[in-house]
Amino acid sequence: WAGPLLLGRFDLEAFHSAVFVYGSEYWYGGKVFRTDPPATKQFGQPIKSSPKLTLEPSAAKPELNVVRMGYTFVTHNEFLQFLQDKVIKRYTGVEGYDLLTHSCNHFSDECMHFLLGRGVPAHVLELQQIAASPSALALRPYLNRYLGGFSQNGGGGDQLLDDSDIHAGSGSLKPEEMLGAGAVVVLDGGAAGIGDEGSCVIATILAEKDGKCDVKYFDEAEHKVATKTGVPLKAVQRRVQK
């Protein structure tokens, strides 16, 4: 949903990425985690196909499709030392997570450079590279808090947690609070009565009748999803259509 929602594009894929190496999945969600792959409790089922990425069965776990990046001569202990010395401090705390500049994809990219001398495929970072749209910037605080919210769960001193110790989200932000089903639209905040005149507000239409609609939208000031009834349809600047 993120491509159409953030940029009005259906050809753009928005990924959570992780590094599957040494039998574990290493990923960033406000801090560095190590889990048994795939992390379905946190992110749902992994994708099985992509228009731009080549997905193949993992050599270590054939039932899991991955982007095969190659083989490394770096030992497990060397990788753990790299995480401890160079990575974990910079990738700790929900306040440090940023969808566009300091995300799970940037973490994976750094790990791949250390392990193989090259980063993740460019397509994985495409959203971060071009998502400077008003829509993306409006949703940025909410997405940062949700996607970086895993760090509020407790864990060991080395912050490489067992899968059973990690819960989906931070507790205060839940997946069902996202905009959910409905036609995705861009509203004029002033005309809709939920923002400044001329501002862009991302919303989904819950109901539509007699020139008005009920919408669910991201309240940037409150950092949460809210609803508003009786929004004039003239406030709809653009509909995201497949």
Side-chain angles (χ1 to χ4, degrees), residues 153-221:
N153 294 284
D158 65 354
Q159 300 185 9
L160 301 178
L161 308 183
D162 292 330
D163 185 62
S164 59
D165 292 333
I166 303 174
H167 307 283
S170 64
S172 60
L173 293 165
K174 301 177 181 179
E176 59 265 30
E177 290 176 344
M178 298 302 288
L179 296 181
V184 180
V185 296
V186 178
L187 301 174
D188 181 306
I194 52 178
D196 296 331
E197 193 70 33
S199 64
C200 292
V201 177
I202 302 298
T204 55
I205 294 181
L206 305 177
E208 187 175 341
K209 186 178 180 180
D210 298 330
K212 295 183 179 181
C213 59
D214 301 337
V215 299
K216 182 182 287 187
Y217 68 99
F218 172 67
D219 188 324
E220 186 176 359

Side-chain angles (χ1 to χ4, degrees), residues 5 14 16 47 76 97 99 121 149 211 214:
L5 180 63
H16 160 74
I47 63 173
H76 193 190
Y97 187 98
L99 173 69
D214 301 337

Side-chain angles (χ1 to χ4, degrees), residues 55-125:
L55 297 173
E56 304 174 86
S58 165
K61 194 169 186 176
E63 65 272 23
L64 177 64
N65 283 346
V66 298
V67 178
R68 289 193 179 188
M69 296 298 296
Y71 296 87
T72 181
F73 289 101
V74 175
T75 68
H76 193 190
N77 284 340
E78 288 171 337
F79 180 61
L80 293 178
Q81 195 66 50
F82 163 73
L83 293 178
Q84 293 285 357
D85 294 346
K86 304 293 186 181
V87 177
I88 286 177
K89 185 176 180 179
R90 291 185 294 108
Y91 283 89
T92 297
V94 64
E95 69 282 352
Y97 187 98
D98 189 274
L99 173 69
L100 303 185
T101 62
H102 200 69
S103 71
C104 59
N105 295 328
H106 298 93
F107 167 78
S108 296
D109 192 58
E110 286 195 37
C111 290
M112 293 310 304
H113 273 286
F114 178 76
L115 292 167
L116 295 176
R118 61 179 184 275
V120 299
H123 184 56
V124 174
L125 288 168

Side-chain angles (χ1 to χ4, degrees), residues 37-64:
T40 53
K41 288 194 301 182
Q42 295 79 30
F43 303 103
Q45 293 295 326
I47 63 173
K48 296 183 178 180
S49 63
S50 166
K52 293 188 178 181
L53 297 177
T54 300
L55 297 173
E56 304 174 86
S58 165
K61 194 169 186 176
E63 65 272 23
L64 177 64

